[in-house]
Amino acid sequence: MNNQAVVMRVMASCVRVADKAAEVVREILNSGDLGIIDKGGQKNLQTKADRTCEQVIRASIMSQFPNLTLIGEEDEPLHPASDAKAGYDDEVLAKQCPDAYKDVTEDKIVLWVDPLDGTAEFTEGLLDHVTILIGLAIDGKAVGGVINQPFFNYENKEQKMGRTIWGVVGLGAFGWDLVEPPKDRRILITTRSHSNQLVTSCLESMQPTHVERQGGAGNKVLKVMEGVADAYVFPSPGCKKWDTCAPEAVLVAAGGELTDMFGKKMEYHATVQKQNMGGTIATLRDHDKIVNLVPQTVRDEMKNMKLIPRSKK
């Protein structure tokens, strides 16, 4: 394993600890004690699962890779009793690292972690919307990602619950099945819990054949990857870097694209502004075509949007 590139060792660690965090999420749900805290704002909730999962992820990764930078949504401090070193995923370690990342050192890696994407949906029982996101960035670019669905197949008692989709740009995306969407439709997927008049008017102007509203950025990107929707469109600064880093990396590794509403790539440097002020568009195919459908009035309004202060816990 020591002969494997650092990037792939970090990815192998991220996949394994995401699986471990998924077990924690399921245990907390089964306990019935979600420990919900309202952080303020529009459905801006935090649960015991958010806090505990981030501690598990942070403890495991930082114990193995102390020189990388990890930025988590909850900014949870390490608890002395936090379990560490979840280990490595053998499937990831068996893959060849793309040449572009073979010489990347640990200190050049930034991880963006959302320990429970779709928290509001988690509290409402919409469990298939919930994901655990770990994105890996190098030089400000999303190059690796893990999207874990703790409750995948939760309604089918005969099947194993949960799955992990991961990818590295230049290597590919794994753990999912490609479904090419039909050419004669335009299904747009967007937020169900953070909508507003701008979101609604933008989507209507893009002449969709159908609009799907679901929770969680990771979930919505997976719906695009699996052909359920043709584009994820969110003209709002509601998403943060920990919401989009992992989904962007996995989607791009699969042959898709994720940008802001202007077609500009996100930046994931450790010091970057955490809010995605330009909104989000994600597609598996025909990205420029979808970007060009965004009305100029929407672009103009987004240019005038101001940073939303982060709520205190």
Side-chain angles (χ1 to χ4, degrees):
M1 184 185 70
N2 289 334
N3 293 328
Q4 180 59 284
V6 171
V7 166
M8 296 306 293
R9 285 193 282 125
V10 173
M11 283 298 302
S13 176
C14 290
V15 168
R16 179 58 65 85
V17 77
D19 289 339
K20 187 170 185 177
E23 294 176 6
V24 172
V25 174
R26 291 189 288 265
E27 289 171 1
I28 290 173
L29 180 69
N30 290 335
S31 76
D33 178 16
L34 300 187
I36 300 172
I37 295 174
D38 190 340
K39 298 194 290 184
Q42 188 178 10
K43 289 197 175 182
N44 189 19
L45 305 178
Q46 184 199 76
T47 69
K48 182 179 179 181
D50 296 82
R51 298 186 292 274
T52 306
C53 285
E54 183 162 318
Q55 288 178 340
V56 168
I57 293 168
R58 189 181 294 274
S60 180
I61 291 176
M62 297 310 295
S63 67
Q64 296 171 103
F65 304 99
N67 296 317
L68 60 69
T69 300
L70 190 153
I71 303 171
E73 176 177 10
E74 308 308 334
D75 198 23
E76 283 292 312
L78 277 180
H79 190 279
S82 293
D83 193 8
K85 295 186 179 179
Y88 300 90
D89 183 88
D90 291 336
E91 178 188 340
V92 180
L93 289 177
K95 303 291 185 183
Q96 188 71 29
C97 182
D99 290 342
Y101 317 129
K102 281 184 176 179
D103 298 323
V104 172
T105 53
E106 191 178 313
D107 60 307
K108 301 298 183 183
I109 295 173
V110 179
L111 295 184
W112 291 88
V113 176
D114 189 341
L116 197 70
D117 185 42
T119 300
E121 286 70 27
F122 178 63
T123 66
E124 296 170 27
L126 299 172
L127 301 180
D128 50 337
H129 295 202
V130 175
T131 61
I132 296 165
L133 305 176
I134 308 176
L136 187 154
I138 300 169
D139 295 330
K141 298 178 181 178
V143 301
V146 179
I147 306 175
N148 181 289
Q149 293 179 290
F151 301 103
F152 181 72
N153 275 335
Y154 79 100
E155 293 180 312
N156 189 341
K157 304 302 182 184
E158 297 181 359
Q159 303 238 356
K160 178 183 176 182
M161 189 186 302
R163 69 169 176 172
T164 300
I165 297 94
W166 68 276
V168 175
V169 177
L171 177 63
F174 307 91
W176 67 295
D177 295 318
L178 173 65
V179 178
E180 290 286 355
K183 297 290 186 181
D184 59 346
R185 69 171 205 193
R186 185 180 297 153
I187 296 178
L188 305 181
I189 190 166
T190 192
T191 181
R192 68 171 288 273
S193 56
H194 297 89
S195 191
N196 54 44
Q197 183 56 44
L198 182 63
V199 172
T200 301
S201 63
C202 177
L203 293 170
E204 290 175 351
S205 299
M206 297 174 76
Q207 299 182 323
T209 55
H210 176 68
V211 174
E212 183 75 20
R213 297 182 183 275
Q214 295 199 21
N219 169 56
K220 289 190 279 286
V221 168
L222 286 180
K223 290 295 186 287
V224 170
M225 288 176 59
E226 296 186 318
V228 175
D230 300 292
Y232 165 32
V233 180
F234 187 40
S236 167
C239 275
K240 312 291 195 304
K241 295 298 187 293
W242 43 71
D243 295 310
T244 55
C245 186
E248 177 179 337
V250 174
L251 179 60
V252 172
E257 188 62 276
L258 187 150
T259 67
D260 66 12
M261 300 294 292
F262 303 88
K264 182 180 177 182
K265 296 290 287 184
M266 311 286 188
E267 293 187 6
Y268 297 97
H269 299 283
T271 58
V272 77
Q273 179 177 283
K274 293 178 175 61
Q275 276 185 246
N276 294 330
M277 295 303 295
T280 307
I281 290 183
T283 62
L284 187 63
R285 302 286 183 263
D286 301 323
H287 191 78
D288 290 343
K289 180 179 179 180
I290 296 296
V291 170
N292 289 334
L293 289 173
V294 178
Q296 187 59 45
T297 53
V298 172
R299 299 179 198 269
D300 292 342
E301 187 165 343
M302 293 209 68
K303 287 178 181 178
N304 295 325
M305 286 187 176
K306 295 181 180 180
L307 187 68
I308 302 172
R310 185 174 181 182
S311 301
K312 294 182 180 179
K313 289 185 265 188

